[in-house]
């Protein structure tokens, strides 16, 4: 092997080694035996992401007397509550599962009845009571400053909440 060829081989080796080293440095290595952590949104995150928009949309549906959509949205809100209980059965020292059932079940049933009878006055009353339970729960979990009210306007400019005309 000529000197030139030998030094070329050496150089190639060095380049290959450093590339491998670089490759190693860039690959994030998980500790042995650890499984990737699944994302667990905070209770406040879930309230903001799922409960709050559903509560808003349910209110807007009622204001428009869009009963088919209101029934759908009430069901979505119910599922949001169920998922929260699954992710956060207890929060700090509070049993969220029990508190959720104790506070929301009765007004949710009342909203459902009002929707079934297409009764706007009953809906407003039941929706008001549902909103009051949001706040009752916030008060009993040391979040009295989170105050929920019936929506005064739609924050969803791309959605029409009026009933679909046949
Ligand atoms: C079972 C108790 C409970 C019920 C019922 C409940 N919440 Fe909450 N909510 C909480 C707790 C506790 C927090 C604070 C979570 C935190 O700080 O991480 C919270 C936080 C929130 C927040 C986040 C505050 C912010 O501005 O960032 C919103 C929004 C919210 N709730 C909306 C609602 C609405 C709307 C309802 C009713 C449809 C409702 N909540 C019903 C317990 C409840």
């Amino acid at each position: 092997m000529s000197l030139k060829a030998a030094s070329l081989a050496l150089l190639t080796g060095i380049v290959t080694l450093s590339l491998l080293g670089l490759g190693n440095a860039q690959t994030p290595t998980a500790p042995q035996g650890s499984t990737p952590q699944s994302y667990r949104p905070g209770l406040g995150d879930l309230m903001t992401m799922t409960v709050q928009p559903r509560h808003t949309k349910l209110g807007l549906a009622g204001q428009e007397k869009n009963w088919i959509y209101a029934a759908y949205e009430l069901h979505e809100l119910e599922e949001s509550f169920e998922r929260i209980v699954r992710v956060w059965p207890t929060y700090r020292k509070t049993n969220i599962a029990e508190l959720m059932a104790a506070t929301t079940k009765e007004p949710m049933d009342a909203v459902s009845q009002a929707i079934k009878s297409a009764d706007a006055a009953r809906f407003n009353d039941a929706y008001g009571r549902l909103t009051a339970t949001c706040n009752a729960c916030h008060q009993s979990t040391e979040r009295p400053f989170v105050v929920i009210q019936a929506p005064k306007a739609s924050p969803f400019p791309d959605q029409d909440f009026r009933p679909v005309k046949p």
Side-chain angles (χ1 to χ4, degrees):
M1 201 187 278
S2 73
L3 191 61
K4 207 173 160 194
S7 54
L8 189 69
L10 188 64
L11 191 70
T12 314
I14 291 167
V15 169
T16 312
L17 275 178
S18 60
L19 275 179
L20 280 174
L22 235 165
N24 276 344
Q26 282 178 339
T27 310
T29 44
Q32 285 285 312
S34 78
T35 46
Q37 254 202 323
S38 58
Y39 173 56
R40 187 195 191 198
L43 179 55
D45 296 336
L46 289 170
M47 286 278 166
T48 305
M49 285 191 292
T50 68
V51 171
Q52 186 174 26
R54 306 259 182 247
H55 173 266
T56 301
K57 289 180 173 193
L58 176 62
L60 294 169
Q63 286 170 21
E64 297 290 352
K65 301 185 179 63
N66 188 348
W67 305 122
I68 293 173
Y69 177 70
Y72 165 82
E73 206 53 38
L74 179 67
H75 181 66
E76 294 292 312
L77 178 61
E78 201 179 344
E79 287 191 338
S80 299
F81 281 144
E82 283 168 10
R83 273 191 285 269
I84 282 186
V85 167
R86 248 180 280 147
V87 181
W88 290 97
T90 52
Y91 177 75
R92 298 188 170 183
K93 290 198 173 66
T94 308
N95 185 329
I96 292 291
E98 270 178 20
L99 193 57
M100 193 70 88
T103 52
T104 60
K105 199 186 174 310
E106 191 281 325
M108 296 278 280
D109 288 348
V111 171
S112 175
Q113 287 306 315
I115 290 171
K116 279 188 191 125
S117 51
D119 186 331
R122 259 176 88 182
F123 178 90
N124 287 340
D125 176 69
Y127 185 80
R129 279 191 289 127
L130 174 62
T131 307
T133 63
C134 307
N135 294 326
C137 200
H138 295 155
Q139 280 157 17
S140 66
T141 49
E142 294 170 7
R143 297 290 184 278
F145 43 82
V146 180
V147 183
I148 304 301
Q149 61 181 2
K152 293 184 191 298
S154 169
F156 302 100
D158 58 349
Q159 191 167 1
D160 188 347
F161 292 97
R162 292 170 300 177
V164 176
K165 294 272 179 300

